[in-house]
């Protein structure tokens, strides 16, 4: 706990900037696959984005705190929060990857579709969209699904955030 009270320095500033950019790039890639690539996310895919949606602003706050030379505890606690968010994301990604590999069952409401509605109004069309099942990977790259790659990304980002939060101050 005493490390969290230490002054923030270059390590915390650079880590905050990197983490904000990396988290934004990660969730931006998922959004790109959805909106440009046409991959419709399942319920678990959408849940995995939450730590990133929260983490980007938290890391931007950490960067501002570091640049404004606020007490080191502010920057370090924000980095700790970012690390904990990525651990949450890691847990969500491991769970989803395990569902895809049939290691355990997914949520009962994941991939439950509705019969296409009759009619041409917007509400009928929205009800006709059937989200994909959580237990089927939309695709695999180098043997890993999107959830599998999120396991790796979340673990790396959590490690960087936690190391920066607890890093000893540099001696000049």
């Amino acid at each position: 706990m005493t490390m969290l009270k230490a002054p923030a320095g270059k390590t915390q500033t650079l880590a905050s900037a990197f983490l904000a950019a990396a988290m934004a790039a990660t969730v931006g890639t998922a959004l790109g696959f959805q909106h440009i690539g046409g991959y419709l996310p399942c319920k678990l895919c959408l849940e995995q984005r939450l730590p990133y949606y929260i983490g980007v602003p938290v890391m931007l706050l950490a960067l501002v705190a570091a640049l404004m030379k606020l007490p080191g505890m502010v920057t370090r606690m924000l980095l700790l929060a970012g690390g904990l968010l990525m651990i949450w994301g890691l847990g969500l990604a491991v769970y989803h990857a395990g569902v895809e590999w049939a290691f355990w069952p997914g949520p009962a409401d994941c991939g439950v579709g509705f019969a296409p509605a009759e009619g041409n109004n917007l509400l009928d069309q929205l009800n006709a969209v059937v989200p994909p099942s959580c237990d089927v990977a939309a695709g695999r790259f180098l043997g890993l699904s999107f959830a599998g790659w999120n396991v790796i990304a979340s673990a790396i980002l959590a490690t960087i955030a936690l190391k920066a939060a607890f890093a000893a101050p540099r001696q000049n």
Side-chain angles (χ1 to χ4, degrees):
M1 188 66 168
T2 58
M3 260 322 146
L4 290 174
K5 295 178 183 178
K10 189 175 181 180
T11 299
Q12 289 72 33
T13 304
L14 292 174
S16 299
F18 172 79
L19 288 164
M23 287 179 187
T26 303
V27 77
T29 300
L31 289 167
F33 274 107
Q34 177 182 346
H35 295 291
I36 298 168
Y39 288 91
L40 191 61
C42 71
K43 175 186 174 178
L44 293 178
C45 293
L46 294 173
E47 286 179 10
Q48 287 177 78
R49 296 178 186 181
L50 292 174
Y52 293 97
Y53 292 150
I54 299 166
V56 171
V58 169
M59 291 303 92
L60 289 173
L61 286 173
L63 178 60
V64 169
L67 292 173
M68 292 182 63
K69 306 282 190 219
L70 294 180
M73 187 169 208
V74 173
T75 302
R76 289 173 181 271
M77 290 298 284
L78 288 167
L79 284 164
L80 176 61
L84 294 174
L85 283 166
M86 290 297 97
I87 289 172
W88 173 36
L90 175 65
L92 292 171
V94 166
Y95 174 66
H96 190 189
V99 168
E100 291 173 342
W101 286 103
F103 293 155
W104 42 75
D109 62 346
C110 198
V112 175
F114 302 101
E118 298 289 328
N120 291 327
N121 70 38
L122 181 60
L123 290 176
D124 289 340
Q125 291 174 11
L126 287 174
N127 284 336
V129 174
V130 178
S133 177
C134 295
D135 62 356
V136 178
R140 294 193 186 274
F141 178 70
L142 298 177
L144 292 178
S145 66
F146 295 132
W149 284 107
N150 190 29
V151 168
I152 293 170
S154 297
I156 291 169
L157 295 173
T159 300
I160 292 169
L162 295 174
K163 281 188 157 219
F166 291 101
R170 287 189 177 184
Q171 301 298 324
N172 292 337

